[in-house]
Amino acid sequence: MKANFSMRTFVVLVSRLFLVLSVAMSMSFVSSITMSFAQEVPVLKYYYVCDIATPEALKEVQDAVNEILVKTIGAKVELHPLSFHEVTTKIPLILASGEDADIVSASSFCPYITEYQTKGLLALDELLPKVTPKLWNKYDKKVWNGVRIQGKIYMVPNNNPGVSYPGFWARKDLVDKYKFDWENADSWEAWEPFFDAILKNEKDVIPILSTQDYWGRLWFPNYYGYDSVGSVKAPYGQSLIVVKATDPKRKVIAAPFTKEYEHAVRLARKWYLKGYFSKTPPTEAEMMTMRANGKFATFAVPFVGEGDTTAMANNEWGGRTILQAKIKGKNPIITTGTYTGSGNAVCRVSKHPDLALKFIEQMHTNEALHNLLNFGIEGKHWVWVDKGRKLISLPPGVTGRTAQYNPNTYWQFGDSNLQYFMSEGSLHTAERVAKAMKNAIYSTILGFTPDPTPVKSQIAAVSSVAQEYGEPLEKGLVDPDDPNRGLTVFRNKLREAGINRIVVEFQRQINKWALQNIKE
């Protein structure tokens, strides 16, 4: 009996032990599965413009960004930085091909309308108020209406309150040296005495910066008081379809047939022959090295502004002080591009469009995330100068060109009001902008964005012609009177490509839009 009891007891004990072990193992298995699921959050692919990001620094920034995002939206982001040169072709290709992507940046380097034309963007009208009500309510209705195409919103515009003028970014040391009265220069031509002094006295300094692609032209619509209509242009050029910003009739014009465009190309040719531009425009990379080494005196741009240039000087000009030299008498024009000039869009193929939009919302509402994307890691990529005033700088001994992480795109990551300040001067930018806004001209087509679909083939043909004939003319590389490649030939080629049909279609759309939106 004793032996039997012992055997029975042993069997019971073993059975109970087995049960306990089985339960424990099951709980451990379930726990491991739960942990695995917790770690496998969705990953969003974000393509954006970035000047400098070493692989190591990019990983550090991405990890820090994801620490925030996992807690706030339950997702991670995979950062895909593109150079200023790459972004022009890479993002449209991603969108047109349906490549796996979730969010793309839009800017003057890859315009919103260009991205829309690929049919790769997702309409956000329903998602915005439902998924990101904080973002939806953050901005005025006119901002959202300003980015509508055919009544739909395809991009969240960045909040970069400001004004811009045609003019030059100019080296102060040289302007001071030759005592040039830059503040009273009222035209492109008024700068010629300064450029002549540079050519005569400064060895190896080119008066005006240029590149093979975007820079080195004088055709900027806002210089002549025009507002651009859509993105009908050479890939790196300025718009060729315009409306006079003050025209109450909103007449659509093909710019190359105007006296203003002819003035721009003839002046560019004159300046090229005088040596104001490089005889052989450098690549973007070559230009950046030359600029940092002081090989240029000025930079002609359509968007001289009211912001402080200290950060730009450190990032791009080797620390030389840069003046924002507006062309006197040219008032800033508030256009649809004021709203659509930069933003972030959700890709149509995104598997997680709600999370993609939530990530964009974080860029507009989360100060830590916004500044991580802009400046990188505190203590490593930047340091505090005055934390109370949110004033920062690059670490000691680091420049804009030797930095490990430096997108140099302060307009790109949401609401710029969240941004730390890189200089004393930038603390007062808002005051200068408010003052400048009092003299701003509001375009008569403010809020209109054309639908290029009905004339898509003509736009492609015009873009091709503009690249072959217009670009060399705008940069002064070709004589406007050349019988084979001059302005007359360019105009004839544009007619053949269908530019007049584009004008008619955009005029029809503007007339319809004005009837629905403008109360005279």
Side-chain angles (χ1 to χ4, degrees), residues 339-370:
Y339 301 131
T340 63
S342 71
N344 288 282
V346 177
C347 303
R348 182 175 49 80
V349 298
S350 174
K351 298 180 182 67
H352 308 284
D354 53 338
L355 293 175
L357 193 54
K358 286 182 179 181
F359 168 59
I360 295 174
E361 181 180 54
Q362 287 294 305
M363 288 194 275
H364 284 259
T365 57
N366 190 312
E367 184 177 288
L369 177 76
H370 178 89

Side-chain angles (χ1 to χ4, degrees), residues 95-122:
L95 292 170
S97 65
E99 184 179 328
D100 184 21
D102 297 279
I103 310 106
V104 292
S105 170
S107 66
S108 58
F109 303 99
C110 185
Y112 171 41
I113 191 68
T114 299
E115 295 183 357
Y116 167 79
Q117 285 179 267
T118 67
K119 298 184 178 180
L121 300 184
L122 181 71

Side-chain angles (χ1 to χ4, degrees), residues 307-310 391 420-430 432:
D308 182 74
T309 60
T310 303
L391 187 62
Y420 300 150
F421 302 104
M422 284 289 284
S423 67
E424 289 279 351
S426 62
L427 293 170
H428 308 291
T429 298
R432 293 192 295 271

Side-chain angles (χ1 to χ4, degrees), residues 296-308:
F296 298 109
T298 65
F299 194 163
V301 294
F303 40 68
V304 168
E306 300 292 341
D308 182 74

Side-chain angles (χ1 to χ4, degrees), residues 459-471:
I459 290 174
V462 165
S463 177
S464 179
V465 168
Q467 184 169 22
E468 184 176 355
Y469 295 92
E471 287 284 273

Side-chain angles (χ1 to χ4, degrees), residues 195-207:
F195 298 146
D196 290 337
I198 297 299
L199 286 177
K200 181 179 178 181
N201 301 294
E202 298 295 326
K203 185 180 179 182
D204 296 330
V205 177
I206 300 168

